[in-house]
Structures are given as C-alpha cells and as structure tokens.
Amino acid sequence: MSGKIRIFADSTCDLPPSWIEEYNIGIVPLYVVFGEQSLRDGVDITPEQLYAKVDQIGSLPKTAAPSPSDFIAAFTPSIEQGEDILFLSISSELSSTYQNALIAAGELPEGRVTVFDSRNLSSGIGLLIMKAVHAANEGSSIPQIVELLSHTVNEVECEFVVDTLDYLYKGGRCSGMQNIIGSLLKIRPVIKVVDGGMIPAYKVRGKKEKALEQMIQNALAQVDKMDNDLIVVVHTMAEEEARFLQKQLQEKTGARQVSISTAGCVICSHCGPQTVGLMYTKKPS
C-alpha cells in the first residue's frame, strides 16, 4: 500500500455535501430505475424530482447497485494517483453493492482496494465514514481503520419514523389493508436497523411529534453509553422536524455536534417524504 488513503462510499451514506467536499470522500451512486430509465442517485435525479415522478406515474422506482465496472471507473483515477482505497458500502443484507465492489476490487491491482460492509444505511454509514476519515487523517493504516470500524459497526443506532405507509405499500412492504388502517388511525411505524437489516421496531399512534419524542427518549436512555462526538439527524422534506430533533438532542445529550443531513433518492424511494431519522454510535462495549 502507498500510504495515501482515500475513503469512498456509495450514495446511500447521506453525508452533507460540504463534508464530502471537505474530506474528499469519493461517492459511487446507486441507481433509481423508472421503467427503462436508469438514473444515478444524486447525479441525474434529486429527491424532489423523484417524488414528483412518483406522483405523476403512481408507482415507485426500483433501485439497483452500481455495477463492478462502475466501481472500477470510480476507483481507477485514485489508484493511478497513488492512493489506496477504503470503500464503505450499504449493508450487504439490503443491496448487492458490497458484492459488486468486491468483484471490482478483485479486478484492480492487488491490495489497492479494501471493501467494508457497513451493515447499515443512510447516515448510519455516514457515522462510520467520518470515523474512518478522522482515523486516516491521524495516520492510521487501512487495516487499523478496518479494525476500528469492525469494533464500531454493531454500536451504530439507527432508527427513523416514516410519515406515511404509502411508500411502504407501493414498495410491497405492507398490505393495502395495513396502509388504509394505518392512514385512518395515523399509525407511524418506526424502523430500526438490526443485524444489517431493517425491522419495524414499534409503532406510534397519533401526531408525528409523539413519534419524535419517543425517538428522543430512546436516545436519552442510551446517553451514558453514547459516543457524543457526533449525532446525525437525517430527513427527507422534513426540515422543521429535523431542526426540532437537533435542538432537543443538543440540549439534552451534550453531544459535541448534532448535524442535519438530507436523505438521497434511494432512501427516499423506500421511505417516502417527511421521513426523519436519528443516528449515533455507542461506545464499544
């Protein structure tokens, strides 16, 4: 290895663009597919454009992983510049992105690309990326960074409240009857990432604020175990709710930084508008 390290991630990491630019993080986009049209997440389509298209045609897009050739094209310039690459992927339980990145790494010069399965999604990946970036800047080698991430990956807490069951229904993740009943009773499911997959953790009936308060209480119950360097609130078209969460968490956890990020098109296509998520890491046990 050359000693110069560049961190890469896929577009589901939902990092603020300013961080991507500041830390020179490489992003490999997933695809949002409407019929015969494949659009690169965050490059060819924005969440606002995605929602408008879904409203227009009445159905959700499919999503697809970058191909091995996409990864080779993304990684090659950095390798040619003498950089070694550490790529963090969306959970292998949720996408073939990890597998395709491994295939690409096998086609490139030996030892130049290391692929790490984040076992997470959205800004849950972003938290791991920032740990990797800071470790690399402090002089850690890729094996040392991988060891750090391996100890941290199971400590990521990631949950988000879905405002409407409509996108889960259109995506085949709940029945039509569940969608109708959920809408009538204003049932808001809270999804968690567990063992690399998404599970319905609990449901909150009533106003969305009630679900947000429950998420805050869940986080505060873990405050003694929380790594308070960084908490990320991620949202899609729910700026007001995200700022409410940010303010509450800043006041009640004492975290050094509570940042807000917006979800990309792949996450949006599964969860729908007005989704709000909360991500932080616990100290390794």
Side-chain angles (χ1 to χ4, degrees), residues 127-128 131 151-158 192 218-219 221-228 230 279-285:
L127 290 166
L128 296 172
K131 287 190 177 293
H151 289 302
T152 309
V153 69
N154 291 324
E155 307 299 336
V156 176
E157 290 288 324
C158 174
K192 284 195 74 164
N218 292 348
Q222 301 277 359
V223 74
D224 290 340
K225 301 175 183 176
M226 191 182 289
D227 178 344
N228 67 357
L230 176 63
M279 289 88 174
Y280 61 90
T281 57
K282 294 184 292 185
K283 299 166 189 170
S285 50

Side-chain angles (χ1 to χ4, degrees), residues 171-183:
R173 293 172 181 82
C174 77
S175 69
M177 185 59 69
Q178 285 174 318
N179 188 28
I180 292 168
I181 292 172
S183 299

